[in-house]
Amino acid sequence: MGTTLLENYSKKEACPVTGLLNMMQFMRHASLHLQDPMTRPLTFIYFDIENFKSFNQRYSFQQGNRFLRYVADLLRETFPGDLLSRFNDDHFVVATPIEQPDRQVQFIHDHVRIYDTHLPLELKAGIYRPDADVTDVARIVDRAKIACNTIKNTYDLVWAVFDPSMEEELNFRSYIVRNFSKAIMGGHIMVYYQPEIRTMTREICGFEALARWHDPVYGVISPGVFVPVLEDAHLSPQLDLCIIDQVCASIVQIQRDIPDWSLLRVSVNLSRADFRLMDMVQAVEDVRLRHGVARKMLNIEVTEGVQGDDETFLQGEIARFRALGYEVWMDDFGSGYSSLNNIKDYVFDVLKIDMNFLRSFETNPKSAIVIRSIVNMAKELGMHTLAEGVETEAQFEFLREIGCEKVQGYLFSPPIPYAEAIAYCHGPTARVKVEPFRLGSYYARVGAINVLSNTPLERRGSPEIGDSLALAILEDCDGSFKYLYQNHMFRLFMKSIELDDGSVDTPHYERRLEQNRRMIARMIEEADRTEREVYTDFVTRNSFNSVRLRLIARDADDTRAVFLMATVNISRFSAEAGSTQEAMNQIIELYDRVDLLDLNRRRLTQVYCSVTEPSYLNKFDPFEELLDRYGKAMVLPAELPLYQRFYSTAHLQSLLLHADAESTILLHKRLPDGTRVLRLHHLIPFHMENRDYIISCIQQVDENVISASLASLAAPELP
């Protein structure tokens, strides 16, 4: 195939996986050839294998190494005697006398592509044949790489030849590297802050620190341009530590200048290359200690692509950060190197969902399905979630609905300079409320609830029959509660019982609302007191439901608590019975409680009771004992003898024998706060299948109305 450039070399010069020259030795041998006037001109080919990381993660690193050796053998077969090198990862470089190696590149591409039919691998190549006066090997390889990069996102091109017009990009890359240190010293690289918003409260709960380069020559240089260049030049640790240093200095400044500032955590990014180049744990600690900033003020974001060949090392570095008290977040999940192995094998506190998923949210229904699955998976694995790139209210409401805990994006704010970030959430121009720092761990426990799960609470007995769970998260603060979250099923349920916002003008709305709030308040009180899940059952217009409520978290100052409520439909009435059931519902809703007394068996069956009433479900005591217990607990002491006579067995029997026997009585109920309400007790006797029954109904009445009615009856008739 051409002149033999290199026949033998030592193992020290070889890549241990492929046996090809390593990068440094390739550069040395190529430089020697270029400086020898007797050698033929060389063509340099830069190969990049796409999808290799996915292959590695799917089949293991051992299989990945086997594939790399396969590629090395292809290169040896195609370019015998030429300079062959594995630079790093899935990048290979060849120096050959062949002037136009198109056929050879196509041959390698075709054989790489068919290696695995289940996960097609793509090979791209950049070709550069330097003039005789160009002898800087690093510059030559860079030009071949630039040519390769121009076709990375195209599917119909296998190789590209370097063109002089590409030199501008190379010069720009060189400018970035040459001026990086000067930019740091001159303050041209600065921190912009993007707010992180908690979906349940719509309050700001943190910032992400992002690097911005304001260059005196080129103006604003995009981080999408300068960050990869610095990574390639092994300068990313200096960039990331520069940002962390500025963040720590800003935190100290805030604590000094704004004493009443509600502290907010700041998330800082570490590049995937940092861990291979420096002890980043110690480096971050050194910066933090120099400023005297607490670890709890910083979150460490690591890009998903940080996982590489040395998994054990990287797992250990992440574990070191977490052991010191830092939260470690996986950044940009799904940005190109997605792998379930990453979140299976690594321990992260937060999973950040890449903004690309939301870019097609409105046009591609699959985006919502994928995002929902990611949130569900993260919650099941014990990780919290944050979505990037939120730009519309529809996106925000969707993320809130599925339980994604935090968001950031242009809907709330783009990345902004330090002064604007302060003004965004502090002072007269503040646009959002600030989440108190002490509530961070409290809301973390709340956020751990997986609202997408069918079992967010432990089930009792066998699984319920019926519809999906209607879930709500409530916060009790200073004696009143509010909803932090309602899922779609819960909102439909509230609509079905006419307690949604659209039902405000329906008849008896205020009464229904007060009943519902009293029911929930009592459940909250009992759940808080017992720290156990509490239950109650109630009837809606066409179904019988069970509601369960459990304490989830209480803040350290004991001023607020969060409860999870699940409403489950446990039976459905047939369509034919709908009208009858509706009538029964309307009757039952008139009363505080309805009980069926079986006089033959001396059994009380609770038909219905409001949440403010003692529950006698599954109580098998004689009804006399239950009625006596009820009277002592609920009736004013002065009126207790009247109650006991009214519910005595003798009086109940007389109702069955005498139509004119007293069947109603007005008695006062004692309330926990010392006040009282007037209630009508009504007894309905009936006989069925040789058994004697009495229905006991208790209904609250307006004492003022009763008094007015009695007064009108006592008034003399007009002439």
Side-chain angles (χ1 to χ4, degrees), residues 77-100:
E77 178 184 350
T78 311
F79 300 101
D82 293 341
L83 288 178
L84 312 175
S85 170
R86 180 195 175 203
F87 261 41
N88 52 60
D89 298 332
D90 52 3
H91 303 142
F92 295 82
V93 178
V94 170
T96 176
I98 302 172
E99 188 171 348
Q100 293 181 329

Short mmCIF file of all heavy atoms in Angstrom, two decimals, residues 77-100:
data_model
loop_
_atom_site.label_atom_id
_atom_site.label_comp_id
_atom_site.label_asym_id
_atom_site.label_seq_id
_atom_site.Cartn_x
_atom_site.Cartn_y
_atom_site.Cartn_z
N GLU A 77 -4.83 -4.04 8.19
CA GLU A 77 -5.08 -4.69 6.91
C GLU A 77 -5.16 -3.67 5.78
O GLU A 77 -4.68 -3.92 4.66
CB GLU A 77 -6.40 -5.47 6.99
CG GLU A 77 -6.80 -6.16 5.69
CD GLU A 77 -8.16 -6.84 5.80
OE1 GLU A 77 -8.70 -6.95 6.93
OE2 GLU A 77 -8.69 -7.26 4.75
N THR A 78 -5.75 -2.51 6.06
CA THR A 78 -5.99 -1.51 5.03
C THR A 78 -4.77 -0.63 4.78
O THR A 78 -4.52 -0.20 3.65
CB THR A 78 -7.19 -0.63 5.43
OG1 THR A 78 -8.28 -1.47 5.82
CG2 THR A 78 -7.63 0.25 4.26
N PHE A 79 -4.01 -0.34 5.84
CA PHE A 79 -2.85 0.55 5.74
C PHE A 79 -1.59 -0.16 6.27
O PHE A 79 -1.00 0.25 7.27
CB PHE A 79 -3.08 1.84 6.54
CG PHE A 79 -4.26 2.64 6.09
CD1 PHE A 79 -5.46 2.60 6.78
CD2 PHE A 79 -4.16 3.46 4.97
CE1 PHE A 79 -6.54 3.35 6.37
CE2 PHE A 79 -5.24 4.22 4.55
CZ PHE A 79 -6.45 4.17 5.25
N PRO A 80 -1.17 -1.25 5.61
CA PRO A 80 -0.01 -2.00 6.11
C PRO A 80 1.26 -1.14 6.06
O PRO A 80 1.54 -0.48 5.06
CB PRO A 80 0.08 -3.19 5.16
CG PRO A 80 -0.61 -2.74 3.91
CD PRO A 80 -1.70 -1.82 4.34
N GLY A 81 2.01 -1.14 7.16
CA GLY A 81 3.27 -0.42 7.21
C GLY A 81 3.15 1.06 7.45
O GLY A 81 4.17 1.77 7.54
N ASP A 82 1.91 1.61 7.57
CA ASP A 82 1.74 3.04 7.80
C ASP A 82 1.70 3.33 9.31
O ASP A 82 1.62 2.41 10.14
CB ASP A 82 0.44 3.52 7.15
CG ASP A 82 0.51 3.44 5.63
OD1 ASP A 82 1.64 3.37 5.10
OD2 ASP A 82 -0.55 3.45 4.97
N LEU A 83 1.71 4.62 9.65
CA LEU A 83 1.63 5.02 11.06
C LEU A 83 0.17 4.92 11.51
O LEU A 83 -0.71 5.63 10.98
CB LEU A 83 2.13 6.45 11.25
CG LEU A 83 3.64 6.69 11.12
CD1 LEU A 83 3.95 8.16 11.28
CD2 LEU A 83 4.39 5.88 12.16
N LEU A 84 -0.07 4.06 12.46
CA LEU A 84 -1.43 3.82 12.95
C LEU A 84 -1.46 4.10 14.45
O LEU A 84 -0.60 3.64 15.20
CB LEU A 84 -1.86 2.38 12.68
CG LEU A 84 -1.62 1.84 11.26
CD1 LEU A 84 -1.99 0.36 11.20
CD2 LEU A 84 -2.44 2.63 10.25
N SER A 85 -2.50 4.79 14.91
CA SER A 85 -2.55 5.17 16.32
C SER A 85 -3.98 5.18 16.82
O SER A 85 -4.91 5.54 16.10
CB SER A 85 -1.94 6.56 16.52
OG SER A 85 -2.17 7.03 17.83
N ARG A 86 -4.13 4.77 18.08
CA ARG A 86 -5.38 5.04 18.81
C ARG A 86 -5.10 6.23 19.72
O ARG A 86 -4.33 6.12 20.67
CB ARG A 86 -5.82 3.82 19.62
CG ARG A 86 -7.13 4.08 20.39
CD ARG A 86 -7.39 3.06 21.45
NE ARG A 86 -8.58 3.40 22.23
CZ ARG A 86 -8.82 2.95 23.45
NH1 ARG A 86 -7.94 2.15 24.05
NH2 ARG A 86 -9.90 3.32 24.09
N PHE A 87 -5.74 7.35 19.43
CA PHE A 87 -5.48 8.56 20.21
C PHE A 87 -6.12 8.46 21.60
O PHE A 87 -5.47 8.65 22.61
CB PHE A 87 -5.99 9.79 19.46
CG PHE A 87 -4.90 10.52 18.73
CD1 PHE A 87 -3.92 9.81 18.03
CD2 PHE A 87 -4.85 11.89 18.72
CE1 PHE A 87 -2.92 10.47 17.35
CE2 PHE A 87 -3.85 12.57 18.04
CZ PHE A 87 -2.87 11.86 17.36
N ASN A 88 -7.43 8.24 21.65
CA ASN A 88 -8.16 8.08 22.91
C ASN A 88 -9.55 7.56 22.60
O ASN A 88 -10.08 7.77 21.51
CB ASN A 88 -8.25 9.41 23.70
CG ASN A 88 -8.81 10.53 22.85
OD1 ASN A 88 -9.93 10.44 22.36
ND2 ASN A 88 -8.02 11.60 22.66
N ASP A 89 -10.16 6.91 23.55
CA ASP A 89 -11.53 6.42 23.42
C ASP A 89 -11.75 5.74 22.06
O ASP A 89 -11.14 4.73 21.77
CB ASP A 89 -12.54 7.56 23.63
CG ASP A 89 -12.43 8.16 25.03
OD1 ASP A 89 -12.02 7.44 25.95
OD2 ASP A 89 -12.72 9.36 25.19
N ASP A 90 -12.60 6.33 21.21
CA ASP A 90 -12.93 5.73 19.91
C ASP A 90 -12.35 6.54 18.76
O ASP A 90 -12.90 6.58 17.67
CB ASP A 90 -14.45 5.61 19.75
CG ASP A 90 -15.16 6.94 20.02
OD1 ASP A 90 -14.47 7.94 20.27
OD2 ASP A 90 -16.40 6.96 19.99
N HIS A 91 -11.22 7.21 19.01
CA HIS A 91 -10.58 8.05 17.98
C HIS A 91 -9.26 7.42 17.54
O HIS A 91 -8.40 7.11 18.37
CB HIS A 91 -10.34 9.47 18.52
CG HIS A 91 -11.60 10.14 19.01
ND1 HIS A 91 -11.64 10.95 20.12
CD2 HIS A 91 -12.86 10.10 18.51
CE1 HIS A 91 -12.87 11.39 20.29
NE2 HIS A 91 -13.63 10.88 19.33
N PHE A 92 -9.13 7.25 16.23
CA PHE A 92 -7.92 6.68 15.64
C PHE A 92 -7.35 7.68 14.62
O PHE A 92 -8.10 8.44 14.00
CB PHE A 92 -8.23 5.35 14.92
CG PHE A 92 -8.69 4.25 15.85
CD1 PHE A 92 -10.01 4.17 16.27
CD2 PHE A 92 -7.78 3.28 16.28
CE1 PHE A 92 -10.43 3.15 17.10
CE2 PHE A 92 -8.20 2.26 17.12
CZ PHE A 92 -9.52 2.19 17.53
N VAL A 93 -6.03 7.65 14.46
CA VAL A 93 -5.38 8.52 13.47
C VAL A 93 -4.40 7.68 12.65
O VAL A 93 -3.67 6.84 13.19
CB VAL A 93 -4.63 9.69 14.15
CG1 VAL A 93 -3.92 10.55 13.09
CG2 VAL A 93 -5.60 10.54 14.96
N VAL A 94 -4.41 7.93 11.35
CA VAL A 94 -3.53 7.21 10.42
C VAL A 94 -2.72 8.24 9.63
O VAL A 94 -3.26 9.27 9.20
CB VAL A 94 -4.36 6.33 9.45
CG1 VAL A 94 -3.48 5.77 8.34
CG2 VAL A 94 -5.06 5.21 10.21
N ALA A 95 -1.44 7.97 9.42
CA ALA A 95 -0.59 8.75 8.51
C ALA A 95 -0.12 7.81 7.41
O ALA A 95 0.54 6.79 7.68
CB ALA A 95 0.59 9.35 9.25
N THR A 96 -0.49 8.13 6.17
CA THR A 96 -0.21 7.22 5.06
C THR A 96 0.28 8.00 3.84
O THR A 96 -0.14 9.15 3.63
CB THR A 96 -1.48 6.42 4.69
OG1 THR A 96 -1.22 5.62 3.55
CG2 THR A 96 -2.65 7.35 4.40
N PRO A 97 1.12 7.41 3.02
CA PRO A 97 1.54 8.08 1.77
C PRO A 97 0.43 8.12 0.72
O PRO A 97 0.55 8.85 -0.28
CB PRO A 97 2.71 7.22 1.27
CG PRO A 97 3.12 6.39 2.44
CD PRO A 97 1.89 6.19 3.26
N ILE A 98 -0.64 7.36 0.90
CA ILE A 98 -1.72 7.31 -0.09
C ILE A 98 -2.32 8.71 -0.23
O ILE A 98 -2.76 9.31 0.75
CB ILE A 98 -2.79 6.29 0.31
CG1 ILE A 98 -2.18 4.90 0.48
CG2 ILE A 98 -3.93 6.28 -0.70
CD1 ILE A 98 -3.14 3.88 1.05
N GLU A 99 -2.36 9.21 -1.44
CA GLU A 99 -2.77 10.60 -1.64
C GLU A 99 -4.27 10.79 -1.49
O GLU A 99 -4.74 11.77 -0.91
CB GLU A 99 -2.32 11.07 -3.03
CG GLU A 99 -2.52 12.56 -3.26
CD GLU A 99 -1.87 13.02 -4.54
OE1 GLU A 99 -1.07 12.25 -5.13
OE2 GLU A 99 -2.13 14.16 -4.97
N GLN A 100 -5.05 9.86 -2.01
CA GLN A 100 -6.51 9.94 -1.91
C GLN A 100 -7.03 8.62 -1.35
O GLN A 100 -7.35 7.70 -2.10
CB GLN A 100 -7.13 10.24 -3.27
CG GLN A 100 -6.79 11.63 -3.81
CD GLN A 100 -7.45 11.90 -5.15
OE1 GLN A 100 -7.67 10.98 -5.95
NE2 GLN A 100 -7.76 13.17 -5.39
#
